[in-house]
């Protein structure tokens, strides 16, 4: 990944050596943090868990930075997020127990369509299986192709297509998405 000129200029004034691994990794994190955090949040449905998961994956990426920096570090971290979410999903079944009814919390709805849209999307993604959720996030948020998703998830392309079709069918029936405006940036009128 190329390092921005501002960083190289600053570095060349202070050091005769090429940029260090720490600087390269810092530039990578600054350039991709928001996008990767959003992928993690869409996978988990929980901002706090997404931040923890991204932090864990970034630590692993930093430890292997010399190997992955030359290839596709965004793809490596993205695949790490999907795998970390799958690991959490497997572990969760051993310690989480469903309760009769969750406590209903009233929240103040922000009039901005973005906030309402984000909540609706997270709620609509919640009932999907982890594979369906991963395929939908990688396909429609990350805009990956079917072969790229298949490589990331290590599943056949046909499985990606059928999983995507099933997930989209579920999302079309989702009441959370039925009330969204066409443009999520517009205000929600009540």
């Amino acid at each position: 990944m190329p390092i921005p000129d501002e960083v190289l200029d600053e570095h060349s004034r202070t050091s005769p050596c090429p940029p260090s691994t720490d600087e390269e990794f810092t530039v990578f994190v600054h350039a991709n943090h928001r996008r990767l955090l959003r992928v993690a949040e869409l996978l988990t449905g929980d901002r706090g868990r997404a931040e923890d998961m991204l932090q864990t994956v970034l630590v692993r990426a930093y430890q292997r930075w010399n190997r992955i920096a030359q290839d596709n570090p965004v793809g490596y971290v993205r695949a790490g997020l999907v795998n970390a979410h799958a690991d959490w999903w497997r572990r969760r079944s051993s310690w989480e127990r469903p309760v009769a009814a969750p406590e209903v919390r009233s929240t103040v709805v922000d009039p901005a369509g973005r906030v309402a849209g984000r909540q609706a999307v997270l709620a609509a993604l919640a009932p999907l299986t982890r594979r369906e959720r991963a395929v939908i996030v990688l396909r429609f948020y990350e805009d990956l192709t079917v072969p790229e998703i298949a490589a990331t998830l290590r599943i056949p392309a046909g499985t990606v297509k059928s999983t995507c079709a099933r997930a989209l069918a579920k999302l079309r029936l989702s009441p959370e998405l039925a009330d969204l405006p066409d443009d999520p940036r517009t205000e929600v009128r009540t």
Side-chain angles (χ1 to χ4, degrees):
M1 144 172 232
I3 298 175
D5 293 336
E6 311 82 64
V7 173
L8 288 176
D9 291 343
E10 176 64 28
H11 183 77
S12 63
R13 279 186 264 134
T14 59
S15 172
C17 301
S20 70
T21 300
D22 290 345
E23 290 169 337
E24 288 179 12
F25 186 74
T26 301
V27 169
F28 166 77
V29 171
H30 284 293
N32 297 289
H33 185 269
R34 172 178 264 164
R35 175 180 171 190
L36 294 169
L37 181 59
R38 185 70 178 137
V39 169
E41 185 176 5
L42 287 168
L43 287 170
T44 63
D46 180 274
R47 178 73 174 213
R49 194 170 348 123
E51 290 171 348
D52 291 344
M53 191 169 70
L54 178 58
Q55 183 69 26
T56 300
V57 172
L58 286 175
V59 167
R60 290 183 197 146
Y62 177 76
Q63 293 168 343
R64 295 166 181 82
W65 186 249
N66 288 333
R67 285 183 282 163
I68 66 169
Q70 307 310 318
D71 192 22
N72 180 9
V74 172
Y76 179 89
V77 173
R78 187 185 310 117
L81 289 171
V82 170
N83 292 335
H85 179 62
D87 291 345
W88 173 83
W89 193 268
R90 283 189 289 269
R91 283 191 312 269
R92 181 182 82 127
S93 64
S94 65
W95 56 268
E96 271 190 15
R97 301 287 180 243
V99 294
E103 179 183 323
V104 178
R105 296 181 186 174
S106 64
T107 58
V108 176
V109 178
D110 189 338
R114 285 184 145 179
V115 173
R118 178 177 291 160
Q119 295 298 334
V121 168
L122 290 173
L125 289 173
L128 299 180
T129 66
R130 74 178 164 80
R131 180 181 282 178
E132 289 171 343
R133 182 181 268 217
V135 167
I136 291 295
V137 169
L138 294 176
R139 178 68 187 105
F140 297 103
Y141 182 73
E142 282 293 297
D143 201 26
L144 296 183
T145 63
V146 170
E148 290 171 330
I149 296 169
T152 299
L153 299 178
R154 296 187 195 122
I155 58 176
T159 303
V160 171
K161 291 176 186 177
S162 62
T163 302
C164 187
R166 276 193 312 275
L168 286 174
K170 289 178 184 178
L171 290 174
R172 282 186 192 103
L173 298 174
S174 175
E176 290 87 359
L177 298 179
D179 297 332
L180 281 181
D182 290 336
D183 184 358
R185 293 171 294 187
T186 60
E187 225 176 85
V188 177
R189 306 232 182 243
T190 55

